[in-house]
Amino acid sequence: MVRERADRFPGKAMTSTGASLRATTSRSTAVAVTDSDSRRGFEVICEVEPPTRPDLTRVRHQIGVLSQVADSFLIPDNHIGRATVSSVAVAHEVQAMGSRPIACLNSRDRNLLGFRRDLLTAAAYGVDRFLYVYGDKPSAGGRTSELTVQAMIEETRAVAEDPVFTGLAPFRAGVTCGLRAVPTWKATADFVFAQVSYSLESQLRWRESVQVSGPVYAGVMVLASAAMARNLAGTIPDIDIPEDLVTAVECDRNAGVEAACQQVLAIRDSGAFDGVHLVPVSRYRQVAALLETELRPPQKSWRPKSPSTAN
């Protein structure tokens, strides 16, 4: 049934091809496009936890472990209202480790001048993909209320005409969207991250109902505990977490990891999405171990030809 649904997304095949081509041409020369990336045609974007202290050790470890299964990394920006190391700075670190970053930028903490500073910094570092979000309620201070996500997208497109950015790769700006109708201005974004959901059927129904111009990524998050389930239910509108999953996680900590990995593979096999936005939370080691064999098929070992077959 899942594979049959793939035929009902005629626009997706065009989007996937275009996304693959754009990803190939926009990568830094320091980042290789592997055969497995091109062959798979399904982008796994793993979210990492940015540091809340001036120490990049843990985030480097996350990147190193997850690089076996991730095509790109999303770096949040002062997520859940806490101060973190700049997402643009961590994105530069991702590049230095040979991977592709997406820097999240929120409208909550910025005025126009601060946003232009971020774009200049990103251009200097070679970071060209952004996910723009509204931002959670801050734990300290208030919102600037000067910028909206839509205004950030418009400003990003406008800098393409700015002589300061001449000769640089164009920025690509993405947005997030709940599993409901997509506003017109979001539908024209360079890519869309769909809301996290624990229901494959809900994700497929939503994808079938919307038309967008760029790649679409389904949201998948590891459920680490029953307490996390209650927190998500209270903060994400319309999220439906199966009670049997919550019960399973209470009995076995790995149950949430296994369910998330199965969901990633089911989304891939559906053909409905261009990839997934995977949030492994603290279970990134277990996620990498489970997905590695499924997403990265073992390469054939090279053996020298014997003299009798050399000719």
Side-chain angles (χ1 to χ4, degrees), residues 108-139:
R108 176 196 62 210
D109 302 337
R110 289 171 174 80
N111 58 22
L112 182 57
L113 183 61
F115 180 56
R116 288 176 175 173
R117 172 209 56 206
D118 290 330
L119 293 180
L120 280 170
T121 304
Y125 281 152
V127 175
D128 57 12
R129 289 198 296 172
F130 304 99
L131 180 69
Y132 295 151
V133 299
Y134 180 58
D136 302 307
K137 182 178 179 180
S139 58

PDB file of all heavy atoms in Angstrom, residues 108-139:
ATOM      1  N   ARG A 108      12.601  35.402  16.116  1.00  0.00           N
ATOM      2  CA  ARG A 108      12.403  35.890  17.480  1.00  0.00           C
ATOM      3  C   ARG A 108      13.540  36.787  17.959  1.00  0.00           C
ATOM      4  O   ARG A 108      13.316  37.807  18.607  1.00  0.00           O
ATOM      5  CB  ARG A 108      12.294  34.681  18.420  1.00  0.00           C
ATOM      6  CG  ARG A 108      12.181  34.994  19.902  1.00  0.00           C
ATOM      7  CD  ARG A 108      12.474  33.736  20.716  1.00  0.00           C
ATOM      8  NE  ARG A 108      13.823  33.261  20.486  1.00  0.00           N
ATOM      9  CZ  ARG A 108      14.183  31.969  20.552  1.00  0.00           C
ATOM     10  NH1 ARG A 108      13.295  31.049  20.845  1.00  0.00           N
ATOM     11  NH2 ARG A 108      15.431  31.625  20.326  1.00  0.00           N
ATOM     12  N   ASP A 109      14.788  36.422  17.636  1.00  0.00           N
ATOM     13  CA  ASP A 109      15.952  37.076  18.234  1.00  0.00           C
ATOM     14  C   ASP A 109      16.586  38.145  17.348  1.00  0.00           C
ATOM     15  O   ASP A 109      17.669  38.639  17.680  1.00  0.00           O
ATOM     16  CB  ASP A 109      17.028  36.031  18.553  1.00  0.00           C
ATOM     17  CG  ASP A 109      16.529  34.945  19.480  1.00  0.00           C
ATOM     18  OD1 ASP A 109      15.558  35.198  20.208  1.00  0.00           O
ATOM     19  OD2 ASP A 109      17.092  33.836  19.461  1.00  0.00           O
ATOM     20  N   ARG A 110      15.949  38.486  16.218  1.00  0.00           N
ATOM     21  CA  ARG A 110      16.652  39.319  15.249  1.00  0.00           C
ATOM     22  C   ARG A 110      15.865  40.547  14.826  1.00  0.00           C
ATOM     23  O   ARG A 110      14.658  40.486  14.624  1.00  0.00           O
ATOM     24  CB  ARG A 110      16.977  38.493  13.989  1.00  0.00           C
ATOM     25  CG  ARG A 110      18.051  37.479  14.243  1.00  0.00           C
ATOM     26  CD  ARG A 110      18.232  36.527  13.074  1.00  0.00           C
ATOM     27  NE  ARG A 110      19.379  35.681  13.362  1.00  0.00           N
ATOM     28  CZ  ARG A 110      19.311  34.616  14.162  1.00  0.00           C
ATOM     29  NH1 ARG A 110      18.161  34.267  14.717  1.00  0.00           N
ATOM     30  NH2 ARG A 110      20.394  33.901  14.402  1.00  0.00           N
ATOM     31  N   ASN A 111      16.608  41.625  14.622  1.00  0.00           N
ATOM     32  CA  ASN A 111      16.085  42.730  13.843  1.00  0.00           C
ATOM     33  C   ASN A 111      16.733  42.638  12.458  1.00  0.00           C
ATOM     34  O   ASN A 111      17.528  41.728  12.190  1.00  0.00           O
ATOM     35  CB  ASN A 111      16.352  44.078  14.522  1.00  0.00           C
ATOM     36  CG  ASN A 111      17.841  44.302  14.765  1.00  0.00           C
ATOM     37  OD1 ASN A 111      18.702  43.702  14.121  1.00  0.00           O
ATOM     38  ND2 ASN A 111      18.160  45.185  15.703  1.00  0.00           N
ATOM     39  N   LEU A 112      16.397  43.556  11.583  1.00  0.00           N
ATOM     40  CA  LEU A 112      16.876  43.464  10.206  1.00  0.00           C
ATOM     41  C   LEU A 112      18.394  43.560  10.124  1.00  0.00           C
ATOM     42  O   LEU A 112      19.040  42.808   9.379  1.00  0.00           O
ATOM     43  CB  LEU A 112      16.228  44.559   9.354  1.00  0.00           C
ATOM     44  CG  LEU A 112      16.591  44.567   7.865  1.00  0.00           C
ATOM     45  CD1 LEU A 112      16.253  43.228   7.222  1.00  0.00           C
ATOM     46  CD2 LEU A 112      15.866  45.715   7.157  1.00  0.00           C
ATOM     47  N   LEU A 113      18.984  44.455  10.895  1.00  0.00           N
ATOM     48  CA  LEU A 113      20.438  44.605  10.854  1.00  0.00           C
ATOM     49  C   LEU A 113      21.135  43.338  11.332  1.00  0.00           C
ATOM     50  O   LEU A 113      22.121  42.879  10.726  1.00  0.00           O
ATOM     51  CB  LEU A 113      20.858  45.794  11.723  1.00  0.00           C
ATOM     52  CG  LEU A 113      22.363  46.128  11.733  1.00  0.00           C
ATOM     53  CD1 LEU A 113      22.835  46.485  10.330  1.00  0.00           C
ATOM     54  CD2 LEU A 113      22.652  47.259  12.712  1.00  0.00           C
ATOM     55  N   GLY A 114      20.630  42.744  12.411  1.00  0.00           N
ATOM     56  CA  GLY A 114      21.226  41.510  12.909  1.00  0.00           C
ATOM     57  C   GLY A 114      21.094  40.379  11.913  1.00  0.00           C
ATOM     58  O   GLY A 114      22.008  39.547  11.768  1.00  0.00           O
ATOM     59  N   PHE A 115      19.973  40.333  11.200  1.00  0.00           N
ATOM     60  CA  PHE A 115      19.782  39.284  10.195  1.00  0.00           C
ATOM     61  C   PHE A 115      20.755  39.454   9.031  1.00  0.00           C
ATOM     62  O   PHE A 115      21.336  38.478   8.550  1.00  0.00           O
ATOM     63  CB  PHE A 115      18.337  39.312   9.707  1.00  0.00           C
ATOM     64  CG  PHE A 115      18.027  38.275   8.665  1.00  0.00           C
ATOM     65  CD1 PHE A 115      18.255  36.932   8.906  1.00  0.00           C
ATOM     66  CD2 PHE A 115      17.498  38.643   7.433  1.00  0.00           C
ATOM     67  CE1 PHE A 115      17.974  35.963   7.953  1.00  0.00           C
ATOM     68  CE2 PHE A 115      17.209  37.688   6.475  1.00  0.00           C
ATOM     69  CZ  PHE A 115      17.448  36.348   6.735  1.00  0.00           C
ATOM     70  N   ARG A 116      20.956  40.703   8.599  1.00  0.00           N
ATOM     71  CA  ARG A 116      21.914  40.938   7.514  1.00  0.00           C
ATOM     72  C   ARG A 116      23.328  40.557   7.948  1.00  0.00           C
ATOM     73  O   ARG A 116      24.119  40.058   7.144  1.00  0.00           O
ATOM     74  CB  ARG A 116      21.848  42.398   7.082  1.00  0.00           C
ATOM     75  CG  ARG A 116      20.569  42.738   6.317  1.00  0.00           C
ATOM     76  CD  ARG A 116      20.471  44.205   5.969  1.00  0.00           C
ATOM     77  NE  ARG A 116      19.298  44.469   5.138  1.00  0.00           N
ATOM     78  CZ  ARG A 116      18.873  45.670   4.789  1.00  0.00           C
ATOM     79  NH1 ARG A 116      19.539  46.757   5.216  1.00  0.00           N
ATOM     80  NH2 ARG A 116      17.809  45.831   4.036  1.00  0.00           N
ATOM     81  N   ARG A 117      23.649  40.798   9.216  1.00  0.00           N
ATOM     82  CA  ARG A 117      24.953  40.357   9.746  1.00  0.00           C
ATOM     83  C   ARG A 117      25.083  38.845   9.628  1.00  0.00           C
ATOM     84  O   ARG A 117      26.134  38.310   9.235  1.00  0.00           O
ATOM     85  CB  ARG A 117      25.077  40.777  11.205  1.00  0.00           C
ATOM     86  CG  ARG A 117      26.309  40.226  11.936  1.00  0.00           C
ATOM     87  CD  ARG A 117      26.030  40.070  13.411  1.00  0.00           C
ATOM     88  NE  ARG A 117      24.872  39.228  13.659  1.00  0.00           N
ATOM     89  CZ  ARG A 117      24.109  39.306  14.741  1.00  0.00           C
ATOM     90  NH1 ARG A 117      24.345  40.208  15.677  1.00  0.00           N
ATOM     91  NH2 ARG A 117      23.078  38.491  14.894  1.00  0.00           N
ATOM     92  N   ASP A 118      24.012  38.114   9.963  1.00  0.00           N
ATOM     93  CA  ASP A 118      24.056  36.653   9.888  1.00  0.00           C
ATOM     94  C   ASP A 118      24.277  36.179   8.462  1.00  0.00           C
ATOM     95  O   ASP A 118      25.011  35.208   8.215  1.00  0.00           O
ATOM     96  CB  ASP A 118      22.756  36.065  10.429  1.00  0.00           C
ATOM     97  CG  ASP A 118      22.611  36.234  11.932  1.00  0.00           C
ATOM     98  OD1 ASP A 118      23.646  36.259  12.622  1.00  0.00           O
ATOM     99  OD2 ASP A 118      21.472  36.336  12.413  1.00  0.00           O
ATOM    100  N   LEU A 119      23.642  36.831   7.492  1.00  0.00           N
ATOM    101  CA  LEU A 119      23.818  36.441   6.095  1.00  0.00           C
ATOM    102  C   LEU A 119      25.251  36.705   5.631  1.00  0.00           C
ATOM    103  O   LEU A 119      25.838  35.894   4.905  1.00  0.00           O
ATOM    104  CB  LEU A 119      22.823  37.186   5.204  1.00  0.00           C
ATOM    105  CG  LEU A 119      21.349  36.820   5.392  1.00  0.00           C
ATOM    106  CD1 LEU A 119      20.470  37.644   4.451  1.00  0.00           C
ATOM    107  CD2 LEU A 119      21.108  35.329   5.167  1.00  0.00           C
ATOM    108  N   LEU A 120      25.823  37.828   6.057  1.00  0.00           N
ATOM    109  CA  LEU A 120      27.216  38.116   5.710  1.00  0.00           C
ATOM    110  C   LEU A 120      28.164  37.086   6.321  1.00  0.00           C
ATOM    111  O   LEU A 120      29.094  36.596   5.664  1.00  0.00           O
ATOM    112  CB  LEU A 120      27.597  39.517   6.202  1.00  0.00           C
ATOM    113  CG  LEU A 120      27.155  40.701   5.341  1.00  0.00           C
ATOM    114  CD1 LEU A 120      27.401  42.008   6.086  1.00  0.00           C
ATOM    115  CD2 LEU A 120      27.899  40.703   4.007  1.00  0.00           C
ATOM    116  N   THR A 121      27.911  36.748   7.583  1.00  0.00           N
ATOM    117  CA  THR A 121      28.750  35.750   8.261  1.00  0.00           C
ATOM    118  C   THR A 121      28.641  34.394   7.572  1.00  0.00           C
ATOM    119  O   THR A 121      29.643  33.713   7.340  1.00  0.00           O
ATOM    120  CB  THR A 121      28.338  35.618   9.737  1.00  0.00           C
ATOM    121  OG1 THR A 121      28.414  36.899  10.371  1.00  0.00           O
ATOM    122  CG2 THR A 121      29.242  34.638  10.469  1.00  0.00           C
ATOM    123  N   ALA A 122      27.422  34.023   7.236  1.00  0.00           N
ATOM    124  CA  ALA A 122      27.215  32.747   6.557  1.00  0.00           C
ATOM    125  C   ALA A 122      27.914  32.724   5.206  1.00  0.00           C
ATOM    126  O   ALA A 122      28.552  31.721   4.838  1.00  0.00           O
ATOM    127  CB  ALA A 122      25.713  32.500   6.383  1.00  0.00           C
ATOM    128  N   ALA A 123      27.829  33.812   4.467  1.00  0.00           N
ATOM    129  CA  ALA A 123      28.492  33.873   3.166  1.00  0.00           C
ATOM    130  C   ALA A 123      30.001  33.752   3.318  1.00  0.00           C
ATOM    131  O   ALA A 123      30.679  33.094   2.518  1.00  0.00           O
ATOM    132  CB  ALA A 123      28.121  35.179   2.461  1.00  0.00           C
ATOM    133  N   ALA A 124      30.553  34.376   4.346  1.00  0.00           N
ATOM    134  CA  ALA A 124      31.994  34.295   4.587  1.00  0.00           C
ATOM    135  C   ALA A 124      32.426  32.869   4.896  1.00  0.00           C
ATOM    136  O   ALA A 124      33.525  32.442   4.542  1.00  0.00           O
ATOM    137  CB  ALA A 124      32.380  35.223   5.739  1.00  0.00           C
ATOM    138  N   TYR A 125      31.545  32.119   5.569  1.00  0.00           N
ATOM    139  CA  TYR A 125      31.832  30.732   5.928  1.00  0.00           C
ATOM    140  C   TYR A 125      31.450  29.732   4.835  1.00  0.00           C
ATOM    141  O   TYR A 125      31.746  28.537   4.940  1.00  0.00           O
ATOM    142  CB  TYR A 125      31.072  30.355   7.203  1.00  0.00           C
ATOM    143  CG  TYR A 125      31.689  30.847   8.489  1.00  0.00           C
ATOM    144  CD1 TYR A 125      30.885  31.097   9.601  1.00  0.00           C
ATOM    145  CD2 TYR A 125      33.058  31.032   8.623  1.00  0.00           C
ATOM    146  CE1 TYR A 125      31.427  31.525  10.808  1.00  0.00           C
ATOM    147  CE2 TYR A 125      33.614  31.459   9.813  1.00  0.00           C
ATOM    148  CZ  TYR A 125      32.789  31.710  10.904  1.00  0.00           C
ATOM    149  OH  TYR A 125      33.335  32.127  12.090  1.00  0.00           O
ATOM    150  N   GLY A 126      30.749  30.192   3.809  1.00  0.00           N
ATOM    151  CA  GLY A 126      30.306  29.277   2.762  1.00  0.00           C
ATOM    152  C   GLY A 126      29.048  28.513   3.126  1.00  0.00           C
ATOM    153  O   GLY A 126      28.719  27.504   2.505  1.00  0.00           O
ATOM    154  N   VAL A 127      28.314  28.974   4.124  1.00  0.00           N
ATOM    155  CA  VAL A 127      27.047  28.340   4.527  1.00  0.00           C
ATOM    156  C   VAL A 127      25.933  28.955   3.687  1.00  0.00           C
ATOM    157  O   VAL A 127      25.750  30.172   3.691  1.00  0.00           O
ATOM    158  CB  VAL A 127      26.767  28.567   6.032  1.00  0.00           C
ATOM    159  CG1 VAL A 127      25.399  28.026   6.414  1.00  0.00           C
ATOM    160  CG2 VAL A 127      27.868  27.928   6.865  1.00  0.00           C
ATOM    161  N   ASP A 128      25.177  28.124   2.941  1.00  0.00           N
ATOM    162  CA  ASP A 128      24.196  28.692   2.025  1.00  0.00           C
ATOM    163  C   ASP A 128      22.785  28.117   2.160  1.00  0.00           C
ATOM    164  O   ASP A 128      21.898  28.460   1.373  1.00  0.00           O
ATOM    165  CB  ASP A 128      24.663  28.534   0.575  1.00  0.00           C
ATOM    166  CG  ASP A 128      24.930  27.086   0.183  1.00  0.00           C
ATOM    167  OD1 ASP A 128      24.546  26.176   0.942  1.00  0.00           O
ATOM    168  OD2 ASP A 128      25.524  26.862  -0.894  1.00  0.00           O
ATOM    169  N   ARG A 129      22.563  27.261   3.154  1.00  0.00           N
ATOM    170  CA  ARG A 129      21.203  26.734   3.361  1.00  0.00           C
ATOM    171  C   ARG A 129      20.718  27.105   4.757  1.00  0.00           C
ATOM    172  O   ARG A 129      21.429  26.921   5.746  1.00  0.00           O
ATOM    173  CB  ARG A 129      21.165  25.209   3.188  1.00  0.00           C
ATOM    174  CG  ARG A 129      21.338  24.746   1.752  1.00  0.00           C
ATOM    175  CD  ARG A 129      20.861  23.317   1.551  1.00  0.00           C
ATOM    176  NE  ARG A 129      21.642  22.368   2.321  1.00  0.00           N
ATOM    177  CZ  ARG A 129      21.329  21.069   2.433  1.00  0.00           C
ATOM    178  NH1 ARG A 129      20.243  20.600   1.843  1.00  0.00           N
ATOM    179  NH2 ARG A 129      22.089  20.265   3.127  1.00  0.00           N
ATOM    180  N   PHE A 130      19.476  27.601   4.806  1.00  0.00           N
ATOM    181  CA  PHE A 130      18.898  28.046   6.070  1.00  0.00           C
ATOM    182  C   PHE A 130      17.488  27.490   6.231  1.00  0.00           C
ATOM    183  O   PHE A 130      16.746  27.334   5.250  1.00  0.00           O
ATOM    184  CB  PHE A 130      18.813  29.572   6.132  1.00  0.00           C
ATOM    185  CG  PHE A 130      20.116  30.271   5.915  1.00  0.00           C
ATOM    186  CD1 PHE A 130      20.432  30.799   4.677  1.00  0.00           C
ATOM    187  CD2 PHE A 130      21.035  30.401   6.942  1.00  0.00           C
ATOM    188  CE1 PHE A 130      21.634  31.446   4.472  1.00  0.00           C
ATOM    189  CE2 PHE A 130      22.241  31.037   6.748  1.00  0.00           C
ATOM    190  CZ  PHE A 130      22.547  31.568   5.497  1.00  0.00           C
ATOM    191  N   LEU A 131      17.128  27.238   7.471  1.00  0.00           N
ATOM    192  CA  LEU A 131      15.745  26.951   7.819  1.00  0.00           C
ATOM    193  C   LEU A 131      15.275  28.084   8.709  1.00  0.00           C
ATOM    194  O   LEU A 131      15.829  28.313   9.788  1.00  0.00           O
ATOM    195  CB  LEU A 131      15.621  25.610   8.565  1.00  0.00           C
ATOM    196  CG  LEU A 131      14.194  25.221   8.967  1.00  0.00           C
ATOM    197  CD1 LEU A 131      13.361  24.895   7.728  1.00  0.00           C
ATOM    198  CD2 LEU A 131      14.199  24.049   9.932  1.00  0.00           C
ATOM    199  N   TYR A 132      14.252  28.817   8.266  1.00  0.00           N
ATOM    200  CA  TYR A 132      13.751  29.954   9.027  1.00  0.00           C
ATOM    201  C   TYR A 132      12.533  29.551   9.856  1.00  0.00           C
ATOM    202  O   TYR A 132      11.596  28.922   9.346  1.00  0.00           O
ATOM    203  CB  TYR A 132      13.377  31.100   8.078  1.00  0.00           C
ATOM    204  CG  TYR A 132      14.549  31.688   7.336  1.00  0.00           C
ATOM    205  CD1 TYR A 132      14.395  32.263   6.085  1.00  0.00           C
ATOM    206  CD2 TYR A 132      15.835  31.685   7.892  1.00  0.00           C
ATOM    207  CE1 TYR A 132      15.464  32.815   5.403  1.00  0.00           C
ATOM    208  CE2 TYR A 132      16.905  32.230   7.221  1.00  0.00           C
ATOM    209  CZ  TYR A 132      16.722  32.794   5.973  1.00  0.00           C
ATOM    210  OH  TYR A 132      17.800  33.342   5.305  1.00  0.00           O
ATOM    211  N   VAL A 133      12.557  29.915  11.125  1.00  0.00           N
ATOM    212  CA  VAL A 133      11.480  29.547  12.048  1.00  0.00           C
ATOM    213  C   VAL A 133      11.102  30.760  12.895  1.00  0.00           C
ATOM    214  O   VAL A 133      11.860  31.722  13.006  1.00  0.00           O
ATOM    215  CB  VAL A 133      11.884  28.374  12.971  1.00  0.00           C
ATOM    216  CG1 VAL A 133      12.208  27.130  12.165  1.00  0.00           C
ATOM    217  CG2 VAL A 133      13.067  28.757  13.855  1.00  0.00           C
ATOM    218  N   TYR A 134       9.944  30.678  13.524  1.00  0.00           N
ATOM    219  CA  TYR A 134       9.460  31.752  14.381  1.00  0.00           C
ATOM    220  C   TYR A 134      10.225  31.776  15.697  1.00  0.00           C
ATOM    221  O   TYR A 134      10.669  32.828  16.162  1.00  0.00           O
ATOM    222  CB  TYR A 134       7.962  31.552  14.627  1.00  0.00           C
ATOM    223  CG  TYR A 134       7.315  32.589  15.507  1.00  0.00           C
ATOM    224  CD1 TYR A 134       7.351  33.947  15.177  1.00  0.00           C
ATOM    225  CD2 TYR A 134       6.637  32.225  16.665  1.00  0.00           C
ATOM    226  CE1 TYR A 134       6.742  34.908  15.969  1.00  0.00           C
ATOM    227  CE2 TYR A 134       6.020  33.168  17.472  1.00  0.00           C
ATOM    228  CZ  TYR A 134       6.077  34.513  17.124  1.00  0.00           C
ATOM    229  OH  TYR A 134       5.469  35.449  17.915  1.00  0.00           O
ATOM    230  N   GLY A 135      10.408  30.608  16.318  1.00  0.00           N
ATOM    231  CA  GLY A 135      11.160  30.518  17.572  1.00  0.00           C
ATOM    232  C   GLY A 135      10.264  30.321  18.775  1.00  0.00           C
ATOM    233  O   GLY A 135       9.177  30.893  18.864  1.00  0.00           O
ATOM    234  N   ASP A 136      10.730  29.483  19.716  1.00  0.00           N
ATOM    235  CA  ASP A 136       9.987  29.230  20.943  1.00  0.00           C
ATOM    236  C   ASP A 136      10.011  30.456  21.858  1.00  0.00           C
ATOM    237  O   ASP A 136      10.781  31.391  21.650  1.00  0.00           O
ATOM    238  CB  ASP A 136      10.594  28.036  21.699  1.00  0.00           C
ATOM    239  CG  ASP A 136      10.596  26.772  20.848  1.00  0.00           C
ATOM    240  OD1 ASP A 136       9.530  26.419  20.336  1.00  0.00           O
ATOM    241  OD2 ASP A 136      11.666  26.166  20.705  1.00  0.00           O
ATOM    242  N   LYS A 137       9.183  30.414  22.881  1.00  0.00           N
ATOM    243  CA  LYS A 137       9.178  31.489  23.870  1.00  0.00           C
ATOM    244  C   LYS A 137      10.541  31.545  24.548  1.00  0.00           C
ATOM    245  O   LYS A 137      11.041  30.540  25.053  1.00  0.00           O
ATOM    246  CB  LYS A 137       8.087  31.244  24.912  1.00  0.00           C
ATOM    247  CG  LYS A 137       7.987  32.351  25.950  1.00  0.00           C
ATOM    248  CD  LYS A 137       6.863  32.080  26.945  1.00  0.00           C
ATOM    249  CE  LYS A 137       6.786  33.179  27.992  1.00  0.00           C
ATOM    250  NZ  LYS A 137       5.689  32.935  28.976  1.00  0.00           N
ATOM    251  N   PRO A 138      11.186  32.714  24.575  1.00  0.00           N
ATOM    252  CA  PRO A 138      12.537  32.804  25.158  1.00  0.00           C
ATOM    253  C   PRO A 138      12.518  32.656  26.673  1.00  0.00           C
ATOM    254  O   PRO A 138      11.578  33.086  27.343  1.00  0.00           O
ATOM    255  CB  PRO A 138      13.004  34.202  24.735  1.00  0.00           C
ATOM    256  CG  PRO A 138      11.746  34.984  24.550  1.00  0.00           C
ATOM    257  CD  PRO A 138      10.725  34.010  24.036  1.00  0.00           C
ATOM    258  N   SER A 139      13.592  32.056  27.209  1.00  0.00           N
ATOM    259  CA  SER A 139      13.717  31.898  28.651  1.00  0.00           C
ATOM    260  C   SER A 139      14.256  33.172  29.298  1.00  0.00           C
ATOM    261  O   SER A 139      14.165  33.344  30.512  1.00  0.00           O
ATOM    262  CB  SER A 139      14.651  30.722  28.975  1.00  0.00           C
ATOM    263  OG  SER A 139      15.929  30.923  28.406  1.00  0.00           O
TER     264      SER A 139
END
